[in-house]
Amino acid sequence: MKILLLISLIISAFNTGLIWLVQLVHYPGFAKMGAEAYKGYQEFHMRSISWIVGPSMFSELALTAFGFFYWQQLLHKSLYVIGAGFVLIIWINTAFWAVPSHTTLVQSGQDQALISRLVQINWWRTISWTIRTCLLAYMVYDLTKP
């Protein structure tokens, strides 16, 4: 169980760092770009970020599900369930808001209102990953303390 939680923590921490970069730098930068270059950049963003985020998000989801097979060994069952709930929030937000928004931005071009909404709604993922990482850090710490 220690290894599973440690790997989960590493992946969640990576995703947390990445989402903060996206939230504070990348998404707000969409609004600063010239309209003529925007569509090509949005296509580049979607194609490139998928190679980074896809494997880490799928790994996190799989490890979270796999952890339930070791339910009896978990010391902090309620924290684990809360952390899994954050994974669910992240996936719902990604599937039903982030991806469709990016698709619309590729099809219709730069839309300041949609970019602003993307930044606002992305706070759900940013906060969810941050809290999840903190929960996992606590669980790993508690398992490894003397």
Side-chain angles (χ1 to χ4, degrees), residues 8-64:
S8 294
L9 172 59
I10 291 167
I11 292 170
S12 185
F14 171 81
N15 286 337
T16 300
L18 183 60
I19 200 68
W20 275 100
L21 177 68
V22 166
Q23 181 65 20
L24 297 179
V25 178
H26 205 69
Y27 280 0
F30 287 172
K32 309 270 186 230
M33 181 171 292
E36 65 283 345
Y38 183 79
K39 185 176 179 178
Y41 185 75
Q42 184 63 237
E43 289 171 345
F44 167 77
H45 164 79
M46 288 179 67
R47 191 175 49 251
S48 300
I49 202 80
S50 297
W51 288 101
I52 299 167
V53 171
S56 64
M57 283 184 68
F58 278 107
S59 297
E60 183 172 42
L61 181 64
L63 284 168
T64 300

Side-chain angles (χ1 to χ4, degrees), residues 50-105:
S50 297
W51 288 101
I52 299 167
V53 171
S56 64
M57 283 184 68
F58 278 107
S59 297
E60 183 172 42
L61 181 64
L63 284 168
T64 300
F66 191 66
F68 284 102
F69 288 106
Y70 293 95
W71 184 252
Q72 296 305 319
Q73 296 176 27
L74 283 170
L75 295 178
H76 300 286
K77 290 176 176 55
S78 60
L79 294 181
Y80 195 83
V81 170
I82 292 167
F86 283 120
V87 171
L88 185 61
I89 290 168
I90 291 161
W91 273 88
I92 289 170
N93 185 290
T94 300
F96 294 106
W97 179 255
V99 171
S101 295
H102 285 289
T103 302
T104 300
L105 288 167

Side-chain angles (χ1 to χ4, degrees), residues 97-118:
W97 179 255
V99 171
S101 295
H102 285 289
T103 302
T104 300
L105 288 167
V106 165
Q107 293 169 349
S108 63
Q110 193 175 38
D111 177 338
Q112 296 296 337
L114 183 55
I115 292 168
S116 178
R117 183 77 176 129
L118 182 62

